[in-house]
Amino acid sequence: MHRHFRTAVLAVIASWCAAALGADGPPGSWPGTMALKVDATDLDRRIVRVEQTLPLPKPAPATLSLRFARYLPGGHGPYGDATRLAGLVIEAGGRRLAWRRESADPFTLVVDVPSNAGELSLSFQYLSPVRGSGDRASIARSVLGIEWESVLLYPAGPSIDAVRVLPKLRLPPRWQQASALRGPAGEPVQPGADGWVAFGEVSVETLVDSPLFAGRHLKQIPLDPPGTARPVVLSLFADDASGLEAGKAQLDAHRALAVQADKLFGGTRHFRHYDLMLALSDEFGGMGLEHHESSENGLRPDYFKDWDEAIRGRELLAHEYVHSWNGKHARPAGLAQVDYQRPTGNTLLWVYEGLTEYWGRVLAARAGLTTPEQVRDRLANILADLGARQGRLWRPLQDTVNDPALGPGWSREWESWQRHSDFYDEAALVWLEADMTMRAASGGRRSLDDLARRFFGGPTATRADGSIAPRPYGEDELLAALQGVQRHDWRRFFDERLEATGRVVPGLAESGWRLAWADEESRFQAHERGWEGPSGTERPQDLAYSLGLRVIGDGTLTEVFWGSPAFNAGLTKGMALVAVNDLAYKPERVEAALRDNREGRAPLRLLVKDGDLYRTVTVDWRGGPRYPRLERVQGTPDRLAEALRPR
């Protein structure tokens, strides 16, 4: 959408939120404090049992609306799953009350309240995903995660920072927990002999922003020297104790992440304490989700293995940590939520996620979690992949910020044509180009590091209860800050990259590097695979930049790129590649056929299976194997190396 429309949307959202607060109820605190007891000991059936007590205003309202969170922070869309709430019983004074669901909003439950009621007692279960359900597993044999919005009903009316709650959690015997929550006196807490953990009183907003990891095996590693104010801790969980082992150099790189972030953001930490929660598990689902004083990270058990061979998930922690400054402290106005029912305003996700993605990669390199060579190979892959995705021909980058609002169940049969959440990778390339532009224009004196200190650093604001208050901002404020760092037509710069359609992929201008091609995969490409899923997940043979497809060992086509030679031959995701030039499919035979077919020989013959139908197709590609690399532009400054250099 056009920049003037983007600015107008932010203004409308801000006025909408202000009006909504007045319409739904007073902004003052809800009377009393909710008590929340969560029992997470049923590991066999993955059932979480909840008891909740809700004090009522005096006089009690005739009806009360209770809400299950729908629009989740960090998800940027309607990802709450009310179908997992079951067995709900609501009582007042020992009398069971009827409730009904609003047909127009199935995440809101309405209760008729007796006039003499002083509080409501609720009990229900949260039915966590079980093996084979298709959803991410949040409870496993050795690790579990509690996201409080899934085990909580909160009253409609006041904003989420005005409702107080006192949470308790019961864990299996000898389990330990990590979270941003603290005890009643602000102290770290662990389960008592009965398995219960008693936390201090917080607002609903702080509770939801403070998820919890727990497990049989926990190793907490301070990332700061003893006595550091606002300390950062790495909380490692694993399926077994051996999974917690890491070398000194690996842990030093995580400590350097905290140091380099301080240098990037001018030494200001917008949190009281920070927990990098990292579960290394084949059973606990892969994830990465930011919070103001913690982050949830689920990666494979091989995180500390083959450190020199591939990045795998090591940029994830840096990305989520950056969000404490970009997204949680300095927050786009449309993402400042007053409740979890109204749609979020995602207009500036190209900043919230795109700039965070860029800085996450930069910080990972500066800390030594990755090497410059690995970063360059990652960039080459991203540039090549985006260039092969022809959805850029019809759909502008700015429109992809609407993808989270579409909710779960996206159609992704032709993702290379449809586009999906490119406000991460492509927007990160836009910010890379902005950084290189600043460095070139200023002779290396200014960069996006200056924006980090001036706009995302600065003083921390706290509320009366000690929680950290976000600072909402709009696009005009951000562009003014960029102009204050380096004079440039930034509005035009971003409009051209956010609103345009075409083949040109942003990223490397003024960096001293360019995209090139080679006949063989780099070491990074040969060892890298996605960070989600179990460690045994098969890596497909990547023929995206030659034939235009990806294929796994049994011949199944996992992706066919729109407009590619494979697409033009009639191939589709889900088909099976049976033979190449009359020989049974093997990855090395495809490579050999590509090499033999170079420079004008006949097209390749592929035998494919589509259900019960076998057919032979010809794919007209005569360019040989093709894998991306970055190569230096001779005679130019290496500004990319300067951006990745430790401070």
Side-chain angles (χ1 to χ4, degrees):
M1 63 187 88
H2 192 268
R3 63 178 171 85
H4 297 302
F5 183 51
R6 292 202 304 268
T7 303
V9 166
L10 290 173
V12 169
I13 289 170
S15 63
W16 180 21
C17 290
L21 275 176
D24 283 355
S29 297
W30 184 261
T33 300
M34 291 194 298
L36 178 66
K37 295 178 65 176
V38 178
D39 187 328
T41 58
D42 190 347
L43 300 179
D44 292 328
R45 291 168 294 198
R46 276 71 164 172
I47 297 171
V48 180
R49 291 173 170 81
V50 182
E51 295 180 6
Q52 187 176 342
T53 303
L54 175 64
L56 296 172
K58 298 184 184 302
T63 61
L64 179 65
S65 293
L66 299 173
R67 289 173 162 172
F68 187 87
R70 185 179 187 187
Y71 286 85
L72 304 184
H76 316 307
Y79 295 102
D81 188 354
T83 67
R84 295 193 178 277
L85 185 152
L88 176 63
V89 174
I90 303 177
E91 296 180 332
R95 172 187 166 194
R96 185 165 177 169
L97 306 180
W99 56 268
R100 59 189 178 276
R101 196 183 300 269
E102 283 193 4
S103 58
D105 179 9
F107 287 75
T108 297
L109 309 177
V110 181
V111 185
D112 293 324
V113 181
S115 59
N116 61 347
E119 65 181 25
L120 296 182
S121 298
L122 293 75
S123 64
F124 58 90
Q125 301 88 43
Y126 172 70
L127 308 180
S128 174
V130 297
R131 187 176 286 109
S133 68
D135 291 335
R136 188 188 72 82
S138 58
I139 297 181
R141 285 289 178 186
S142 298
V143 185
L144 65 80
I146 295 293
E147 294 180 319
W148 298 100
E149 68 274 10
S150 65
V151 293
L152 176 74
L153 290 170
Y154 69 96
S159 62
I160 50 180
D161 67 345
V163 182
R164 309 293 292 176
V165 58
L166 189 64
K168 289 184 69 175
L169 173 71
R170 188 183 183 194
L171 292 170
R174 295 178 295 281
W175 279 42
Q176 295 177 288
Q177 67 87 29
S179 78
L181 295 178
R182 295 297 186 261
E187 75 283 8
V189 289
Q190 287 296 340
D194 58 359
W196 285 98
V197 191
F199 299 104
E201 180 182 311
V202 292
S203 69
V204 166
E205 180 182 33
T206 298
L207 181 68
V208 169
D209 202 31
S210 306
L212 175 146
F213 277 12
R216 300 179 191 273
H217 310 287
L218 167 62
K219 185 175 185 178
Q220 292 192 295
I221 303 158
L223 300 186
D224 294 304
T228 300
R230 304 176 187 268
V232 182
V233 172
L234 174 63
S235 297
L236 281 177
F237 295 87
D239 291 333
D240 56 68
S242 65
L244 302 176
E245 298 304 317
K248 181 181 182 299
Q250 295 167 329
L251 295 181
D252 284 346
H254 289 81
R255 295 185 179 99
L257 173 61
V259 172
Q260 291 298 323
D262 285 346
K263 293 179 182 295
L264 177 62
F265 293 106
T268 302
R269 292 182 170 184
H270 301 295
F271 45 78
R272 296 165 292 184
H273 40 73
Y274 194 96
D275 285 82
L276 282 163
M277 303 185 299
L278 174 58
L280 304 178
S281 173
D282 270 334
E283 295 186 4
F284 185 77
M287 69 177 307
L289 189 59
E290 71 276 4
H291 303 280
H292 208 140
E293 297 184 313
S294 65
S295 61
E296 300 173 84
N297 305 278
L299 294 169
R300 296 182 177 122
D302 61 2
Y303 178 75
F304 289 114
K305 296 181 175 68
D306 301 328
W307 193 263
D308 296 330
E309 299 297 338
I311 294 175
R312 302 210 174 125
R314 294 203 304 277
E315 293 171 332
L316 176 64
L317 270 67
H319 175 104
E320 305 303 351
Y321 189 43
V322 167
H323 267 312
S324 188
W325 290 266
N326 179 20
K328 291 301 182 178
H329 163 62
R331 188 174 305 180
L335 294 172
Q337 294 173 274
V338 296
D339 61 27
Y340 304 120
Q341 315 310 121
R342 295 175 178 83
T344 52
N346 292 343
T347 308
L348 290 179
L349 281 185
W350 56 275
V351 186
Y352 183 109
E353 295 293 2
L355 181 53
T356 297
E357 187 76 356
Y358 174 62
W359 272 335
R361 292 175 188 152
V362 166
L363 279 183
R366 291 180 184 179
L369 289 167
T370 61
T371 67
E373 178 188 7
Q374 289 171 337
V375 174
R376 290 194 299 270
D377 272 351
R378 173 86 90 197
L379 277 172
N381 269 27
I382 292 169
L383 285 159
D385 198 68
L386 289 171
R389 295 183 179 275
Q390 296 198 22
R392 305 184 73 259
L393 296 176
W394 72 273
R395 190 180 182 198
L397 173 60
Q398 179 63 49
D399 188 55
T400 70
V401 304
N402 297 302
D403 289 350
L406 300 176
W410 304 302
S411 163
R412 297 171 76 166
E413 280 79 9
W414 295 102
E415 188 175 331
S416 63
W417 184 240
Q418 294 162 290
R419 305 196 81 174
H420 178 66
S421 296
D422 288 348
F423 55 83
Y424 283 93
D425 278 341
E426 187 169 335
L429 294 177
V430 171
W431 284 105
L432 167 63
E433 191 170 338
D435 197 4
M436 300 299 104
T437 298
M438 280 186 176
R439 294 172 187 274
S442 66
R445 294 185 301 274
R446 289 177 290 279
S447 69
L448 282 182
D449 288 35
D450 298 285
L451 181 72
R453 288 189 295 272
R454 297 183 190 184
F455 191 75
F456 296 94
T460 298
T462 57
R463 300 187 178 99
D465 64 0
S467 61
I468 307 299
R471 177 178 64 79
Y473 70 89
E475 182 178 304
D476 288 344
E477 186 181 353
L478 174 69
L479 293 177
L482 281 161
Q483 191 72 1
V485 172
Q486 175 63 47
R487 292 182 62 83
H488 191 73
D489 191 348
W490 292 113
R491 192 176 295 278
R492 180 178 178 182
F493 175 92
F494 286 105
D495 279 352
E496 288 176 346
R497 289 153 182 80
L498 293 169
E499 309 289 358
T501 55
R503 294 186 177 276
V504 178
V505 179
L508 293 180
E510 306 288 357
S511 71
W513 295 82
R514 63 187 167 212
L515 182 64
W517 302 96
D519 283 355
E520 295 183 355
E521 289 185 303
S522 66
R523 186 175 70 164
F524 167 87
Q525 291 160 338
H527 290 87
E528 188 66 11
R529 58 172 176 263
W531 53 266
E532 295 178 303
S535 56
T537 299
E538 181 179 353
R539 176 181 174 271
Q541 183 179 14
D542 194 351
L543 306 171
Y545 317 119
S546 52
L547 302 183
L549 57 83
R550 291 182 172 126
V551 54
I552 57 176
D554 66 358
T556 300
L557 305 185
T558 60
E559 188 167 13
V560 173
F561 282 70
W562 189 279
S564 68
F567 175 90
N568 293 334
L571 300 186
T572 306
K573 175 181 178 179
M575 290 180 175
L577 178 56
V578 179
V580 180
N581 289 346
D582 302 325
L583 294 174
Y585 165 69
K586 290 183 179 179
E588 59 271 23
R589 285 176 176 166
V590 177
E591 288 280 338
L594 287 171
R595 295 179 193 280
D596 290 345
N597 197 48
R598 198 194 306 268
E599 298 177 358
R601 299 194 181 190
L604 300 181
R605 295 187 313 281
L606 304 182
L607 176 63
V608 296
K609 183 176 183 290
D610 185 4
D612 291 335
L613 175 66
Y614 288 82
R615 60 193 179 94
T616 299
V617 300
T618 58
V619 180
D620 196 3
W621 170 258
R622 310 187 190 196
R626 198 164 179 256
Y627 299 102
R629 296 278 199 283
L630 291 193
E631 68 177 17
R632 280 284 284 129
V633 180
Q634 297 303 316
T636 64
D638 189 349
R639 297 190 179 95
L640 179 59
E642 175 58 26
L644 302 179
R645 181 182 60 80
R647 292 335 187 221

